[in-house]
Amino acid sequence: MSNSPLRLGTRRSPMAIEQSRQVAEAVTRRAGRAVELIGITSAGDVSQEQLTQIGGTGVFVSALRSALLVGEVDFAVHSLKDLPTGSAEGIALAAIPVRDDPRDALAAAGGAKLADLPRCARIGTGSPRRAGQLLLLRGDLQPVPVRGNAGTRLARVESGDLDAVVLGHAGLVRIGRLDAVTQVFEPDEMLPAAGQGALAVECLTGREDLVALLGCVDDAPSRAATTAERSMLGALQAGCAAPVGAYAAGTDVLRLRGVVVAADGGMALRGSASGPPAMAEAIGQQVAGELLSAEREVIRQCQVRQRPAGTSVAGTMTSEPRKRQGRKAGQG
């Protein structure tokens, strides 16, 4: 490997540039290699359509991976939650750095918390997962689909167009907008997306020297936790735009919690499992199995009652009648 600066491919948004800068500094500090950032525009950045309309999983990833494959960049940094759960031919997940706060955050006008918002408040989110869990917390809310970077979304609250928005806490920290946060949702209130708060560092599998070098920023606990979450997501055949939440934590014992929520907030299927971090993938598959079993039971009950059963957990589950409590996986 030469001593010329490594080329790091990054999306052009302020948040993406900042998180890539942090990884670049860590690589330089630990491996002694200079790194230069190369801006890449993805399909997800230029389209104003909702993620579910433009392909969902992978829309922020494909352009960076293409740049890797043609040799335009040496490695790339993604938000891990945007990364498809399946492997990509010729590309290695070389590192998952120390994970930042995975929780979701409310940014509301006037410093309001969720309970303070007026009835039928309009809350912006581009995530069916967040929308469904918001409605579980308060059924009168009106989730409003939004696109654009965090700054654009916050501006809609400041202008009065929206009462609030829900965004990732880690992203707001990265762009220096922690001042906008009025409430942070604990995982018991709102489970984050699989991999939320974590970054993914990819390079070509054939560049074994680079894979080894980038390993200097890998964090084993973060990799184990996100492996469990993404294993669950993959077993459900769901993507980042699906109404699925997952959160794993623990050092000696890794505990994973998962939820599939109806898009209308009418029902939630929940599951959990624990085990050693070395079994992270199996833990994720176990929770997915619980959720799938619970879904089959819901469908059976709906058929008995001659009511529509909704779609699979990989799609947008709907419920009838509207309920406001979660259903533990495995319980009828």
Side-chain angles (χ1 to χ4, degrees):
M1 182 185 295
S2 70
N3 290 322
S4 60
L6 293 171
R7 299 163 300 167
L8 190 167
T10 176
R11 290 169 53 203
R12 297 179 184 274
S13 72
M15 188 182 302
I17 291 172
E18 174 57 25
Q19 64 195 28
S20 294
R21 184 192 63 79
Q22 292 177 13
V23 172
E25 289 181 351
V27 170
T28 299
R29 185 171 61 252
R30 299 180 188 182
R33 287 297 302 274
V35 179
E36 62 175 330
L37 270 55
I38 306 295
I40 305 291
T41 301
S42 74
D45 293 317
V46 297
S47 174
Q48 291 303 307
E49 295 184 83
Q50 297 304 305
L51 293 184
T52 53
Q53 298 175 312
I54 58 175
T57 305
V59 297
F60 295 116
V61 174
S62 58
L64 291 175
R65 284 181 166 174
S66 295
L68 274 177
L69 292 170
V70 300
E72 184 178 344
V73 299
D74 297 303
F75 68 109
V77 171
H78 315 275
S79 291
L80 183 57
K81 68 180 180 62
D82 294 334
L83 211 64
T85 55
S87 60
E89 185 176 357
I91 294 178
L93 180 54
I96 297 175
V98 175
R99 187 181 201 174
D100 291 326
D101 192 334
R103 296 175 297 174
D104 290 302
L106 182 77
K113 297 185 182 302
L114 189 70
D116 303 326
L117 292 173
R119 181 169 176 78
C120 299
R122 288 163 46 85
I123 302 185
T125 174
S127 162
R129 172 191 60 82
R130 288 172 177 152
Q133 291 186 96
L134 280 170
L135 289 170
L136 282 172
L137 294 171
R138 270 190 58 177
D140 64 291
L141 298 174
Q142 295 185 40
V144 177
V146 293
R147 284 296 314 278
N149 62 38
T152 300
R153 300 183 190 199
L154 291 172
R156 294 186 62 178
V157 176
E158 294 162 359
S159 71
D161 182 39
L162 296 170
D163 295 296
V165 291
V166 178
L167 298 163
H169 187 274
L172 290 170
V173 171
R174 289 169 189 154
I175 64 170
R177 288 305 313 269
L178 196 57
D179 62 293
V181 175
T182 59
Q183 181 177 346
V184 179
F185 295 106
E186 297 301 325
D188 288 340
E189 300 173 294
M190 182 178 294
L191 280 180
Q196 185 164 308
L199 301 177
V201 182
E202 291 190 323
C203 67
L204 297 180
T205 55
R207 297 192 60 179
E208 296 179 0
D209 54 345
L210 184 55
V211 173
L213 183 149
L214 294 174
C216 71
V217 297
D218 190 57
D219 179 69
S222 298
R223 184 179 280 268
T226 56
T227 294
E229 296 166 10
R230 286 166 50 78
S231 174
M232 187 201 88
L233 194 67
L236 293 176
Q237 297 184 354
C240 64
V244 177
Y247 177 59
T251 51
D252 296 332
V253 176
L254 189 66
R255 181 178 180 236
L256 171 65
R257 287 177 283 170
V259 65
V260 180
V261 62
D264 63 359
M267 185 179 293
L269 307 178
R270 301 183 186 273
S272 64
S274 302
M279 299 294 292
E281 189 168 346
I283 293 170
Q285 292 173 352
Q286 180 180 340
V287 175
E290 291 183 8
L291 293 169
L292 290 169
S293 294
E295 183 202 27
R296 286 191 291 269
E297 177 61 18
V298 170
I299 292 174
R300 186 191 67 79
Q301 291 183 11
C302 288
Q303 289 173 336
V304 169
R305 298 169 186 167
Q306 295 184 335
R307 291 175 179 158
T311 64
S312 70
V313 294
T316 305
M317 183 178 68
T318 58
S319 59
E320 184 70 35
R322 190 180 185 85
K323 299 179 182 178
R324 286 292 162 211
Q325 67 274 3
R327 180 188 296 273
K328 172 69 177 177
Q331 295 181 350

